[in-house]
Amino acid sequence: MTASRTPPSRTPSRGITPAPVARIRPRRTPGDVIVGIGALIVLAALMGGVPYALLRYAGPPLSPELLSGDLLTRQIGTGTAVAILVLLVWLTWFQLVICVIVEVYAGIRRIGMPARVPLSGGPQALANRLVSAALMLFTVSAAAIPLTAFSSAPPPARPTVVASALHTPASTDASTASLDSLEAVRQVKKVYVVQPPHGRHHESLWEIADKCLGDGRRYPEIYRLNQHKTQPDGTRLQMADLIRPGWVLDMPDDARGVHVVPVDETREATLKRHAGEPVEADGRTQFVVQDAGHRRTGGTDVSRDRLGTVNREAGVEQGTSEARNAGQEERKISTPPSPPPHRAYHLPAQKGTGATAVPSVKSADRTAKPEQADRLQKPETQDTGGGLDLIDYLAGGSLAAAGLLAALGRRRREQLWNRAFGRRIARPRGDAAGAEVALRLGSDAPGSRMLDNGLRLLGKLLAEQGRVPPTVYAVHLSARGLDLWVHPPEPDAPEPWESHDGGRTWRLPAHEGRGIDEHALADAPAPYPGLVSLGVTDSGRVLIDLEAAHGVIAVTGHRVRDALAALAVELVTNRWSDRMRVTLVGFGGDLSMIAPERVRVVGSLAEALPELESQAEEVAASGDGVLTGRVHARAADPAWPPHFLLSAIAPDPDEAVRLARLGRLGTRMAAGYVVAGDVPHPTWTWEITEDGKAKVDALGVTVAAQLLPRRHYDAVIELFRTAERLDGEPVREEEAPQEFTTSPTINVRILGPVEIGPVPPLEEGRAELASEMVVYLASHPAGVHPVVLGGILWPRGVQSVVRDATIARVADWLGTDSEGRPNLRTDDTGRLRLGPEVRSDWQLFRELVRRSHNDPGARAVLLERALGLVRGPLLNGRPRGRYAWLAADELEYEVSASVADAAHRLCEVRLAHGDAEAAVAAVRAGLLLAADDEGLWRDLLRAAHATGDPLKLRAVVDGLHRRAASHPYGGGMAPETEALIDELLPSWRLHSMPSA
């Protein structure tokens, strides 16, 4: 969006030439016809065959046995029992008939979401599937058409809905002066000249980032480089969404499709030279190379800069033609783009000096000296991770992501303990929100659970058999299962574990690991708490046991601090440990905020060594086996809890001797020592190579290292700082009334399981993505640009041809409204929006709540209708790996707080009118979605107490106590809740909690 706008118009913009999108013709496939005929046959059998069979073989609904006057007083015999069963079957059939009638009426009349038949969840779902399949026989598009209109006229033509393509005009001719030598190299910078609007299309920072950096979400980098800098027209960049044509924007070093100009050139001079000269459409960068004979005298050029255009190929091209990409559409959706290789033409300069422009080796091999060519091929390595998307690292640490999300869930629960009425908990923004998106994308909670349960089960089985657990020096976690690398080999593995490779590997198959009863292991201890991720291979994740080293592990090479940060974050948040101590030396002070019970931070090894020496001597003097002691202990009271030392400071000679002595105190210690840099005689050396590999030669392991750069680490810390805020933010309430059609074409239900209908079924692989797209658009009624939508739905990247084809497919799927307009369309600004006859239950909920504020007399009725829309947690049952955008969006926070507040208001209204039972029902409706909101639980306690039924109050207290004790994010209740229970039911602590 820019400062200059064209006046609004009623006609669609024709200034932009959209990228051609393969239109998916609305037609029935042979499969649709077969399914439809089958559905008709099944419906006919259910509607006619079932009553015929019942009348012929079982009799009418009310048999003489049931019409007898002494039915309630005489003893029930076999005949009476059979008659009752027959009646129940008849009632079930009548219920199904009603469901079919409701579904057929909704499909023919196009009234939107069919009415809900009470107590008919299963039968109505069956009727919906059968009727939808049958109606496909009478439709010619993705939207259902009334049967009466089928023979009279064809449906109105649906205009093609396409995404606005990024427009890159052809470049003008540049100077073609030849490049004879590379004797004079000037320091330069990369810039982008904002182009004039094309029709109604204005460039934005997001589009520039998407075009030049490969990811629109990197627009904050461009914003930070140019914030408050004076532009040629005298204005300054102050808002990220407000740029003007003719501005000259500084760009990051890895930008492509930009101009490279001398670092001291003014923006006015750059604009004068490159005004109206966009870079070439193929994404090549124009470089300015100074002539060797260039001199300046008194600020005037004696010989002008000789301009040459050195064209480079893009680091990663996402296809050169739509024809080639169209056939790869489905494969590219799930394939993340490869990271760009090191660019041989570009050397990073010192901080603050810009880049140095040199021709590529390929272009300059005729002129550059051999030593210059060698130097060009070896760019400096970057340690910071700056400029890389947060997904690159945070999503890669799948086990660490699972642990961080669990810890974050505990913080969020504590925020909800303190949430005030009318306020929502504080949500993350910026990099912190991006960090949570990456964590949700990468989290492997099932893998973390299988690793934890599998190891605890192994320890329990070995303890029952009186066996000593083996030394496990490494673990391989994959989709196939869990492999333990055992030394020395042990061929006898307890079932369900399997022994392979002569006992060197113990394997737990994935299906066995997923089937472990977690509750049966509630008190089983963790036998191997020192396991940490080394990195990943093509087949899975490799972990090593810090305790199995029996000495010091030295981390050497490149990006050592990033490796230590990743190790520390996973170690302090993992679930396969019971109680441990982690001492961080010289780094990680903020981690004590994430896991204060585990982390201790000191400034030097001298502060940490005395405690470690004391513990090691205690273990050595006991003579007990650490592993044996652990598996015979309890999780709540573990034996030999480990102590791990991670030091970013290399030891001095005396400290190195003390560390080596610690390693000689026993063959198995409840400790592990990881030190940055070379140390004398380490047990293992963990080397991080320049290309990001982690090598442990002693184990024969080489993997892609798990790293956490500074920017990513800071984003995680900021995420947890936000989660510690207890002040909250005001809930955004609807101010203007919403206009709803009386009969929406499509209903989008998100206050519970996702339901979109009535729409025809999609293939399983496409339905999830299409539903997510519709949900996002329904929750953002102001519309969204296709490029932005692509970054939302494909956070790891996607080709534009795939994005546009998917949008076109969803448009066909949603069909048209009652006036023949597409239910998914683009507006005059190029934004995608849902039509006025597509309505979400969230929009209706907000409108009902808004009306309840303005109409006190109908407040209770309106709030009750609003809460009646709630069917469960927001987007309940959403597929793993999807809807990660919720972490950076306000929807999750707004919905939870708004539903809880509506339930609270209705509870107060009902209690004020003396209707305690209705107050209980109101709160329970809110708890369907906002189950973690502690304020609602207190409302439920008060409402249950107001009923005057002590058993009902006791049931609420017991249920709350059980839920708090077994909560996945930690047990316990808010102190205010416990105090209220003490006030309302003082004896609750004296009674044992029932099992039911």
Side-chain angles (χ1 to χ4, degrees):
M1 186 177 295
T2 64
S4 57
R5 300 177 180 268
T6 54
S9 172
R10 297 179 182 272
T11 60
S13 170
R14 304 185 183 274
I16 303 175
T17 303
V21 175
R23 177 138 174 93
I24 300 175
R25 304 298 300 174
R27 59 185 179 86
R28 291 189 302 272
T29 66
D32 295 334
V33 175
I34 294 173
V35 172
I37 293 174
L40 282 177
I41 294 173
V42 174
L43 282 172
L46 290 174
M47 298 298 101
V50 170
Y52 173 79
L54 287 174
L55 287 172
R56 182 177 178 85
Y57 299 106
L62 295 176
S63 62
E65 288 86 351
L66 298 181
L67 296 176
S68 175
D70 59 347
L71 175 65
L72 301 178
T73 58
R74 63 182 170 86
Q75 186 176 4
I76 296 178
T78 304
T80 305
V82 171
I84 292 174
L85 291 176
V86 171
L87 175 62
L88 292 177
V89 173
W90 274 105
L91 292 176
T92 303
W93 178 78
F94 282 128
Q95 185 184 45
L96 180 62
V97 170
I98 294 173
C99 293
V100 171
I101 294 173
V102 169
E103 295 291 335
V104 171
Y105 178 81
I108 294 177
R109 298 297 301 274
R110 305 179 66 191
I111 64 172
M113 188 68 67
R116 243 190 306 185
V117 180
L119 304 176
S120 302
Q124 189 165 11
L126 174 63
N128 178 271
R129 290 177 179 273
L130 293 174
V131 171
S132 298
L135 287 180
M136 285 293 292
L137 292 174
F138 306 99
T139 61
V140 294
S141 71
I145 303 173
L147 298 179
T148 55
F150 177 74
S151 59
S152 58
R158 182 184 308 149
T160 303
V161 179
V162 297
S164 301
L166 291 178
H167 179 71
T168 310
S171 64
T172 59
D173 293 336
S175 174
T176 58
S178 62
L179 192 65
D180 297 328
S181 66
L182 190 64
E183 297 182 6
V185 179
R186 296 181 61 188
Q187 293 206 341
V188 298
K189 61 182 178 180
K190 294 186 177 183
V191 298
Y192 182 91
V193 179
V194 181
Q195 298 301 301
H198 190 84
R200 295 184 181 274
H201 176 74
H202 296 73
E203 289 192 307
S204 66
L205 287 185
W206 180 285
E207 293 183 4
I208 295 171
D210 185 79
K211 180 165 50 178
C212 301
L213 303 179
D215 191 338
R217 290 163 297 170
R218 291 182 59 185
Y219 77 91
E221 298 175 39
I222 306 175
Y223 176 75
R224 287 191 292 267
L225 284 174
N226 296 276
Q227 188 178 12
H228 304 310
K229 293 183 179 179
T230 304
Q231 294 292 333
D233 61 358
T235 58
R236 299 183 180 186
L237 176 62
Q238 297 182 351
M239 296 179 62
D241 59 349
L242 194 64
I243 61 174
R244 299 173 183 270
W247 279 10
V248 179
L249 303 177
D250 293 341
M251 301 293 290
D253 290 343
D254 62 338
R256 62 190 180 103
V258 295
H259 303 290
V260 177
V261 300
V263 72
D264 56 353
E265 183 175 85
T266 64
R267 297 179 190 271
E268 290 78 8
T270 301
L271 178 61
K272 183 178 180 181
R273 178 163 37 180
H274 296 292
E277 181 191 355
V279 295
E280 297 188 33
D282 61 350
R284 295 180 293 176
T285 295
Q286 296 187 9
F287 286 87
V288 177
V289 182
Q290 182 180 345
D291 187 7
H294 172 80
R295 303 187 305 276
R296 288 183 183 271
T297 303
T300 305
D301 290 346
V302 175
S303 62
R304 294 177 56 85
D305 286 353
R306 186 167 48 179
L307 301 180
T309 303
V310 181
N311 294 325
R312 67 171 174 86
E313 296 180 358
V316 176
E317 293 294 344
Q318 296 188 357
T320 57
S321 68
E322 290 186 4
R324 184 182 69 185
N325 292 331
Q328 303 174 349
E329 174 186 334
E330 293 302 323
R331 179 172 62 84
K332 289 295 183 182
I333 286 179
S334 60
T335 305
S338 303
H342 292 299
R343 296 172 172 81
Y345 57 83
H346 178 256
L347 284 175
Q350 297 297 324
K351 184 177 181 180
T353 62
T356 301
V358 294
S360 67
V361 175
K362 182 177 180 180
S363 303
D365 57 3
R366 298 187 302 270
T367 59
K369 298 178 181 180
E371 60 267 25
Q372 290 174 323
D374 291 340
R375 175 166 51 87
L376 296 178
Q377 293 175 347
K378 297 177 181 179
E380 295 178 12
T381 20
Q382 299 286 333
D383 275 5
T384 61
L388 295 174
D389 194 87
L390 294 166
I391 293 175
D392 295 338
Y393 291 95
L394 289 175
S398 56
L399 298 181
L404 284 168
L405 287 179
L408 185 64
R410 288 191 287 271
R411 297 293 191 280
R412 294 265 169 84
R413 191 172 179 219
E414 292 174 6
Q415 284 182 298
L416 286 170
W417 285 358
N418 298 275
R419 189 188 75 86
F421 175 75
R423 301 185 72 82
R424 67 186 189 198
I425 64 174
R427 71 179 184 91
R429 290 173 171 81
D431 272 1
E436 188 173 352
V437 170
L439 292 175
R440 293 193 185 192
L441 278 173
S443 171
D444 184 13
S448 177
R449 189 179 303 112
M450 183 170 67
L451 176 62
D452 179 32
N453 294 337
L455 294 176
R456 292 180 190 271
L457 175 62
L458 177 62
K460 181 179 181 180
L461 294 174
L462 293 174
E464 291 173 352
Q465 297 174 11
R467 298 171 56 184
V468 177
T471 295
V472 174
Y473 60 89
V475 169
H476 182 254
L477 178 64
S478 68
R480 294 177 54 194
L482 180 62
D483 287 359
L484 308 183
W485 298 346
V486 175
H487 182 79
E490 172 58 59
D492 185 17
E495 293 183 356
W497 288 86
E498 305 168 353
S499 178
H500 294 268
D501 194 20
R504 294 181 178 85
T505 302
W506 285 9
R507 176 171 300 157
L508 179 67
H511 67 277
E512 295 283 0
R514 289 191 292 266
I516 295 175
D517 183 3
E518 187 170 343
H519 298 291
L521 301 174
D523 203 34
Y528 303 104
L531 285 168
V532 292
S533 292
L534 182 69
V536 295
T537 65
D538 292 338
S539 59
R541 177 167 298 275
V542 175
L543 300 91
I544 62 173
D545 190 353
L546 301 183
E547 292 181 289
H550 305 160
V552 178
I553 301 174
V555 184
T556 63
H558 301 73
R559 309 184 64 175
V560 171
R561 200 179 189 94
D562 294 350
L564 288 176
L567 188 154
V569 166
E570 183 178 295
L571 198 60
V572 303
T573 59
N574 72 47
R575 60 173 288 165
W576 54 91
S577 303
D578 294 323
R579 192 170 72 231
M580 69 163 64
R581 181 84 160 169
V582 181
T583 297
L584 306 177
V585 182
F587 80 107
D590 297 316
L591 289 181
S592 58
M593 174 177 58
I594 298 178
E597 70 285 355
R598 290 189 176 184
V599 176
R600 176 193 178 206
V601 182
V602 297
S604 67
L605 280 168
E607 298 177 60
L609 285 174
E611 183 179 354
L612 290 165
E613 290 168 336
S614 174
Q615 178 177 346
E617 290 172 358
E618 181 183 354
V619 174
S622 69
D624 297 332
V626 171
L627 284 174
T628 304
R630 279 185 186 154
V631 298
H632 286 89
R634 296 183 302 111
D637 185 21
W640 304 118
H643 190 162
F644 299 110
L645 171 75
L646 308 182
S647 176
I649 301 174
D652 61 29
D654 177 63
E655 293 166 344
V657 171
R658 295 170 68 182
L659 283 170
R661 187 183 301 119
L662 285 172
R664 293 194 298 268
L665 288 178
T667 59
R668 180 76 190 192
M669 303 173 297
Y673 315 105
V674 183
V675 180
D678 292 313
V679 297
H681 311 297
T683 303
W684 294 342
T685 298
W686 177 350
E687 179 188 359
I688 310 296
T689 64
E690 187 175 0
D691 59 350
K693 301 290 185 182
K695 298 172 58 179
V696 182
D697 290 336
L699 304 180
V701 174
T702 301
V703 297
Q706 180 167 299
L707 305 171
L708 189 62
R710 182 69 196 188
R711 174 193 167 198
H712 303 66
Y713 173 86
D714 289 342
V716 169
I717 297 302
E718 182 59 31
L719 179 62
F720 276 83
R721 284 203 183 99
T722 304
E724 285 195 333
R725 287 178 49 191
L726 302 181
D727 53 337
E729 301 169 344
V731 173
R732 183 170 59 88
E733 296 184 352
E734 200 72 41
E735 297 179 358
Q738 298 290 311
E739 296 184 3
F740 293 120
T741 58
T742 56
S743 56
T745 305
I746 295 176
N747 278 282
V748 182
R749 306 176 74 187
I750 65 175
L751 302 181
V754 179
E755 294 181 3
I756 300 172
V759 289
L762 281 177
E763 302 93 321
E764 184 177 353
R766 292 176 173 176
E768 293 178 352
L769 177 62
S771 297
E772 185 177 3
M773 181 184 296
V774 174
V775 167
Y776 186 85
L777 292 171
S779 56
H780 297 78
V784 59
H785 194 279
V787 175
V788 179
L789 185 63
I792 294 293
L793 300 181
W794 292 277
R796 288 186 170 97
V798 68
Q799 291 179 311
S800 58
V801 64
V802 176
R803 178 197 67 214
D804 295 343
T806 304
I807 293 172
R809 184 184 303 114
V810 173
D812 285 334
W813 181 50
L814 295 181
T816 58
D817 62 16
S818 59
E819 298 183 12
R821 301 168 300 183
N823 281 320
L824 175 59
R825 65 191 73 176
T826 53
D827 61 16
D828 291 345
T829 66
R831 292 173 178 262
L832 288 167
R833 306 174 73 134
L834 295 176
E837 293 187 17
V838 180
R839 184 173 68 192
S840 74
D841 53 357
W842 170 233
Q843 291 174 298
L844 180 57
F845 179 93
R846 296 186 64 183
E847 175 62 15
L848 291 171
V849 171
R850 187 198 66 81
R851 293 179 185 176
S852 72
H853 297 330
N854 302 327
D855 189 353
R859 177 169 299 167
V861 175
L862 292 170
L863 289 176
E864 192 166 343
R865 285 183 58 194
L867 290 171
L869 299 171
V870 177
R871 298 166 292 118
L874 178 70
L875 301 171
N876 191 30
R878 56 183 179 263
R880 180 185 167 212
R882 294 205 178 275
Y883 296 92
W885 50 268
L886 287 170
D889 197 275
E890 68 176 14
L891 180 66
E892 221 171 24
Y893 301 85
E894 285 284 339
V895 169
S896 177
S898 297
V899 169
D901 287 350
H904 172 76
R905 287 193 184 101
L906 183 56
C907 175
E908 287 190 330
V909 171
R910 295 304 191 194
L911 288 177
H913 288 82
D915 193 347
E917 295 290 348
V920 170
V923 178
R924 290 199 179 278
L927 287 172
L928 286 175
L929 187 142
D932 284 338
D933 196 292
E934 201 83 356
L936 275 186
W937 283 102
R938 291 192 286 271
D939 285 338
L940 183 59
L941 289 168
R942 297 186 186 96
H945 181 262
T947 63
D949 185 348
L951 294 179
K952 183 167 292 188
L953 178 60
R954 163 67 65 181
V956 172
V957 171
D958 290 348
L960 177 56
H961 183 270
R962 284 194 304 271
R963 187 181 187 282
S966 61
H967 197 281
Y969 295 147
M973 294 179 282
E976 185 177 348
T977 305
E978 290 198 15
L980 180 61
I981 296 176
D982 287 332
E983 176 187 344
L984 301 180
L985 191 66
S987 62
W988 75 281
R989 298 180 189 272
L990 304 178
H991 295 80
S992 60
M993 299 302 161
S995 59

